[in-house]
Amino acid sequence: MVGDNVYYIALSWAAVRAGTPSQAGLVMAVSAVPRALLMLGGGVVADRFGPRKVVIGSDAVRCAAVLAVAALLFASSPGLWPLAVLALVFGTVDAVFMPAVGALPARITSRAQLARVQGMRGLAIRFANVVGAPLGGLGVAVGGAAAAFGLAGLLIAVSVPLLVSVRMRGLPSDEAPGTPAVPEPSAPADGVPGGGAPDSGGARKAAPTAWRDLRAGLRYIRRHRVLAPLMVAIALGDLGFVGPLNVGLALLADQRGWGASGMGWVLAGFGTGAGLVSLLLTARGRLPYAGRVMAIALLLGCVAIGALAYVPSVAAAVGVALLVGLLAGLSGVLCGALLQTETDPAYLGRVSAVAGLVSLGLAPLSMPASAAAVGLWGTGPVFVVSAVVCGLGGVVALCSPPLRRAELPT
């Protein structure tokens, strides 16, 4: 994650120096297209071939691609095309890497520890955000984009042997609570291993197609009493939260005269609150009444998001952002923990892919819409509408008895 943060700093700086602002924006957006288009297929790959192989292979590809571009920039000034290719490769690899990472926890620990692992992952994300950006800036300042890309590649390279050293186990045989009776992709309902009846020559038919695996995963989510409403709650929460935090906050800071430093303090308040929640779940391992607490945190968090547009000073905004971080972090970490503990491990890659598609494919679409809406109606109404969308996720969770009563395992 630290390497990823350094990579994005290096990519944005190199793109700005090599082309126009619009071209730089296009390069930065290139990776989003394959990530959104291929994410569901990446979940199928993770479940079919095993997350360990997929994570190690995709991490090695990312490392090689970043180091290759670093070497190219050291040797010459090739322009924008290698940056665009790198962004495309990164987005494609992310489409399989992220679902595989989501499927890993069930292979390395017991079900009772999955929530704790989710808290640790949240802490890792906060740490990477704090450390990665200054490291990327330092790399650019010392040796330009080439040095920053080289630093990112080395950091990712260190992660490869660490991933290889992770001890794995087979899939648990017990199913998570609320799991419907959906046949495994590798064991169809007719009971013939590998799919289908024998043909006239006695040979088995080919294994189920990737498309059939994907349909089985989507059907599994749709029929699951907890996961189906949970995905809707995650989608609404992200759609209502991503726009105000990423675009609306910058516009709000500009309008109020807080400047970049003021916006930085507000973001620091949010990060602190979210980090504290991750630390709490890491230490405790579980929180009681997880489904109910998640829904209430979403509802209270939406009120805090709406209030952020009306605070009079930077100090007050930092306080409200701290509250937003606590509540949004609590709902987010509980959503992730429930997703991990309620999903049959054989489907975790595909379930993680759907959740990732919502967060990284649909939610970013709200950012240009939020910016355009702020230009038309101002920050206050846009923050309030976003808060209402986010709050609808809490309403969905409260209106679903299985999700409202969902608990983390002891």
Side-chain angles (χ1 to χ4, degrees):
M1 292 176 185
V2 176
D4 283 356
N5 277 272
V6 175
Y7 156 77
Y8 284 114
I9 294 292
L11 182 66
S12 60
W13 179 261
V16 167
R17 294 298 296 265
T20 65
S22 60
Q23 289 173 331
L26 184 61
V27 168
M28 295 300 295
V30 163
S31 61
V33 176
R35 187 187 298 128
L37 293 178
L38 303 176
M39 183 75 75
L40 295 180
V44 173
V45 171
D47 285 337
R48 174 168 286 202
F49 296 101
R52 183 176 185 271
K53 295 179 181 177
V54 175
V55 165
I56 293 172
S58 56
D59 209 35
V61 170
R62 293 200 302 176
C63 174
V66 173
L67 289 178
V69 171
L72 188 61
L73 292 179
F74 269 120
S76 62
S77 300
L80 283 172
W81 71 265
L83 303 178
V85 172
L86 177 62
L88 188 66
V89 170
F90 229 80
T92 303
V93 173
D94 272 350
V96 294
F97 178 82
M98 299 182 69
V101 168
L104 270 180
R107 313 290 184 105
I108 61 177
T109 189
S110 64
R111 184 169 173 268
Q113 298 293 334
L114 289 175
R116 194 186 301 275
V117 172
Q118 193 70 20
M120 293 177 182
R121 187 178 181 186
L123 287 175
I125 292 172
R126 301 303 161 196
F127 174 81
N129 290 340
V130 171
V131 174
L135 272 180
L138 179 63
V140 169
V142 171
F149 275 124
L151 177 60
L154 291 176
L155 288 167
I156 298 173
V158 172
S159 72
V160 175
L162 292 175
L163 288 171
V164 172
S165 69
V166 172
R167 291 173 295 177
M168 305 289 291
R169 63 181 184 137
L171 282 175
S173 58
D174 58 323
E175 292 187 344
T179 301
V182 179
E184 286 293 325
S186 58
D190 58 12
V192 179
D199 60 15
S200 58
R204 302 293 185 181
K205 288 186 178 179
T209 63
W211 174 246
R212 191 183 305 173
D213 284 356
L214 176 58
R215 289 176 58 191
L218 296 176
R219 184 168 62 248
Y220 172 80
I221 295 172
R222 188 179 70 249
R223 295 179 179 178
H224 202 290
R225 297 175 298 169
V226 174
L227 292 179
L230 181 61
M231 287 296 181
V232 176
I234 291 174
L236 290 170
D238 285 342
L239 286 171
F241 181 75
V242 170
L245 185 68
N246 288 277
V247 176
L249 182 58
L251 297 174
L252 180 65
D254 181 62
Q255 290 180 4
R256 299 293 177 84
W258 297 345
S261 62
M263 187 180 71
W265 279 108
V266 174
L267 288 173
F270 166 78
T272 301
L276 289 174
V277 171
S278 295
L279 181 62
L280 173 65
L281 190 61
T282 301
R284 289 181 58 92
R286 72 182 299 271
L287 295 175
Y289 311 108
R292 193 172 306 166
V293 171
M294 180 270 293
I296 294 173
L298 265 176
L299 289 172
L300 295 178
C302 79
V303 176
I305 290 173
L308 189 60
Y310 298 96
V311 292
S313 64
V314 174
V318 172
V320 175
L322 178 66
L323 181 61
V324 172
L326 287 169
L327 294 170
L330 180 60
S331 61
V333 78
L334 288 177
C335 282
L338 287 171
L339 186 145
Q340 285 284 330
T341 56
E342 291 287 337
T343 304
D344 184 331
Y347 288 90
L348 259 175
R350 282 160 287 179
V351 173
S352 299
V354 173
L357 179 63
V358 168
S359 300
L360 298 172
L362 299 180
L365 297 178
S366 66
M367 290 193 283
S370 296
V374 168
L376 291 174
W377 299 297
T379 53
V382 173
F383 270 69
V384 169
V385 171
S386 298
V388 171
V389 173
C390 188
L392 287 176
V395 173
V396 169
L398 286 178
C399 292
S400 169
L403 178 55
R404 187 177 65 246
R405 299 171 188 151
E407 292 279 6
L408 298 176
T410 56

